[in-house]
């Protein structure tokens, strides 16, 4: 595969992961790998054509197709995806998924199929049961300096404490859009507290007050820096940093936020312009690490992460 086709293949993978929040990121990544084998990426000349391709893919599990009176066609290729496990020691099981193009109606008595976009949007808007607005982020809803943020995103910020993080507006420094650094080094076995404040937070994410609606984007990017190893990580598997802090953290946030129904950055970064134009990423760019970071960001902000334990 030449470099241009490789870049289009990367776009296909990223955009499919962004477009399918009903699948976990590892599942969506696996689906993209299985589906890409039948796609000749040299036929797609630009980013919009790749997005159009992804938008037309309607992938559902076999059990769902059957429940609504559909069956795979005789030559339909099954997309086999691992079923999420509650424990890592549980046995691995795979579930067959099929594209709508490879199914046919076999029963008129079944309930009408729920529109695919309605299903996807429901998953995209879902927040974890423990998600709740935090009083400390009340000032994020004010309209001062255009920083008004919808209540749903404020609820997401109420999950930051689970990884020992807090976010606040920076009123002194003006040399960047955000800053993330450890403020407190937890002891092994320590858990963050729901009432985490600036003084006891493991991480303090400081936001430039002029970034407006991009506040959540910056918070996601800062979380990516932790997950990618650019900022010391106090929980879970340790991450070795790469050499492309900005591009990798931007990419991880770009993937996670679409799945969370949060608009992408209002001003395009150099990484996004390069990605959109189909330029190959630098050889040191770590897509696998980016996908892992995106999954971690999504789980934190959606509210699916339990309070972590410091290692």
């Amino acid at each position: 595969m030449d470099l241009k086709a490789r870049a289009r293949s990367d776009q296909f993978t990223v955009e499919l992961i962004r477009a399918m929040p009903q699948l976990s990121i590892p599942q969506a990544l696996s689906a993209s790998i299985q589906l890409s084998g039948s796609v000749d990426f040299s036929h797609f000349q630009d980013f919009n054509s790749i997005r159009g391709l992804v938008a037309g893919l309607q992938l559902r599990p076999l059990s769902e197709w059957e429940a609504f009176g559909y069956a795979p066609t005789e030559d339909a290729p099954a997309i086999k995806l691992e079923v999420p496990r509650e424990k890592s020691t549980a046995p691995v099981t795979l579930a067959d998924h099929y594209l709508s193009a490879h199914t046919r109606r076999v029963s008129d008595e079944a309930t009408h199929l729920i529109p695919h976009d309605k299903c996807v949007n429901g998953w995209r808007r879902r927040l974890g049961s423990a998600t709740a607005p935090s009083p400390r982020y009340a000032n994020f809803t004010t309209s001062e300096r255009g920083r008004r943020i919808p209540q749903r995103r404020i609820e997401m910020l109420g999950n930051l404490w689970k990884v020992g993080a807090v976010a606040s507006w920076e009123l002194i420094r003006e040399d960047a859009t955000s800053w993330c650094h450890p403020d407190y080094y937890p002891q092994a076995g320590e858990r963050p507290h729901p009432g985490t404040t600036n003084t006891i937070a493991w991480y303090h994410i400081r936001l430039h007050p002029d970034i407006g609606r991009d506040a959540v984007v910056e918070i996601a990017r800062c979380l990516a820096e932790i997950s990618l190893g650019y900022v010391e990580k106090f929980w879970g598997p340790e991450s070795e940093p790469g050499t492309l802090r900005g591009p990798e953290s931007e990419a991880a946030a770009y993937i996670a936020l679409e799945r969370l129904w949060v608009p992408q950055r209002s001003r395009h970064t150099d990484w996004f312009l390069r990605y959109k134009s189909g330029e190959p990423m630098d050889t040191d760019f770590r897509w696998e690490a980016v996908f892992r970071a995106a999954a971690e960001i999504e789980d934190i902000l959606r509210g699916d992460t339990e309070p972590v334990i410091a290692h």
Side-chain angles (χ1 to χ4, degrees):
M1 185 181 294
D2 62 32
L3 291 178
K4 198 69 173 179
R6 176 73 262 175
R8 295 292 176 226
S9 175
D10 289 341
Q11 289 177 341
F12 175 76
T13 296
V14 169
E15 296 308 313
L16 187 143
I17 292 173
R18 294 177 76 236
M20 294 190 177
Q22 74 275 23
L23 303 178
S24 68
I25 287 181
Q27 285 179 317
L29 175 59
S30 177
S32 74
I33 293 171
Q34 295 178 63
L35 290 168
S36 63
S38 60
V39 178
D40 184 353
F41 290 104
S42 64
H43 292 166
F44 295 88
Q45 299 303 313
D46 57 29
F47 179 65
N48 288 334
S49 64
I50 291 291
R51 294 191 73 174
L53 168 64
V54 170
L57 299 178
Q58 185 181 146
L59 185 67
R60 302 179 192 245
L62 174 61
S63 58
E64 184 176 339
W65 285 119
E66 291 179 336
F68 289 97
Y70 288 79
T73 57
E74 291 184 3
D75 57 348
I79 306 301
K80 296 183 178 295
L81 303 180
E82 183 177 329
V83 177
R85 295 174 290 167
E86 291 189 6
K87 295 182 179 180
S88 59
T89 55
V92 174
T93 57
L94 301 176
D96 289 345
H97 291 63
Y98 291 91
L99 292 173
S100 58
H102 299 146
T103 63
R104 58 188 177 87
R105 184 81 169 174
V106 295
S107 173
D108 293 329
E109 298 179 359
T111 306
H112 186 68
L113 187 67
I114 300 172
H116 187 251
D117 58 348
K118 185 176 181 179
C119 293
V120 169
N121 288 336
W123 278 98
R124 185 168 280 124
R125 292 181 173 93
R126 182 187 69 82
L127 294 180
S129 58
T131 301
S134 172
R136 69 165 289 112
Y137 298 111
N139 66 341
F140 277 63
T141 64
T142 64
S143 57
E144 181 184 355
R145 295 200 183 191
R147 65 169 73 154
R148 186 176 181 84
I149 299 174
Q151 184 65 21
R152 179 179 176 277
R153 293 175 216 167
I154 301 302
E155 292 183 15
M156 290 183 184
L157 302 188
N159 292 309
L160 291 175
W161 73 268
K162 296 178 183 178
V163 293
V166 296
S168 66
W169 299 110
E170 173 60 50
L171 302 178
I172 300 176
R173 294 177 58 179
E174 295 185 353
D175 56 328
T177 54
S178 65
W179 306 262
C180 178
H181 55 83
D183 260 9
Y184 167 80
Y185 286 77
Q187 299 295 315
E190 189 174 344
R191 292 176 182 267
H193 189 274
T196 294
T197 63
N198 294 358
T199 56
I200 62 172
W202 300 0
Y203 303 99
H204 191 178
I205 300 173
R206 304 171 189 266
L207 306 169
H208 194 290
D210 288 339
I211 61 175
R213 75 169 180 84
D214 286 341
V216 178
V217 179
E218 283 297 323
I219 289 170
R221 190 189 61 76
C222 288
L223 292 174
E225 290 185 343
I226 298 171
S227 181
L228 290 163
Y230 293 109
V231 175
E232 186 174 357
K233 188 178 181 184
F234 298 133
W235 78 93
E238 295 186 18
S239 301
E240 290 295 325
T243 60
L244 298 169
R245 179 174 186 156
E248 288 182 351
S249 60
E250 279 290 333
Y254 172 76
I255 293 168
L257 292 177
E258 175 66 15
R259 295 172 58 87
L260 289 163
W261 201 43
V262 176
Q264 69 181 88
R265 189 182 293 280
S266 58
R267 296 182 180 180
H268 296 324
T269 62
D270 289 342
W271 170 81
F272 179 77
L273 293 174
R274 185 173 181 179
Y275 163 74
K276 183 180 179 181
S277 69
E279 290 185 43
M281 294 291 111
D282 292 334
T283 55
D284 291 340
F285 191 90
R286 304 173 300 163
W287 276 118
E288 289 187 6
V290 165
F291 295 141
R292 288 195 299 270
E296 200 159 65
I297 296 167
E298 179 183 359
D299 285 349
I300 292 169
L301 293 179
R302 197 184 292 283
D304 291 340
T305 298
E306 294 295 325
V308 298
I309 302 174
H311 51 57

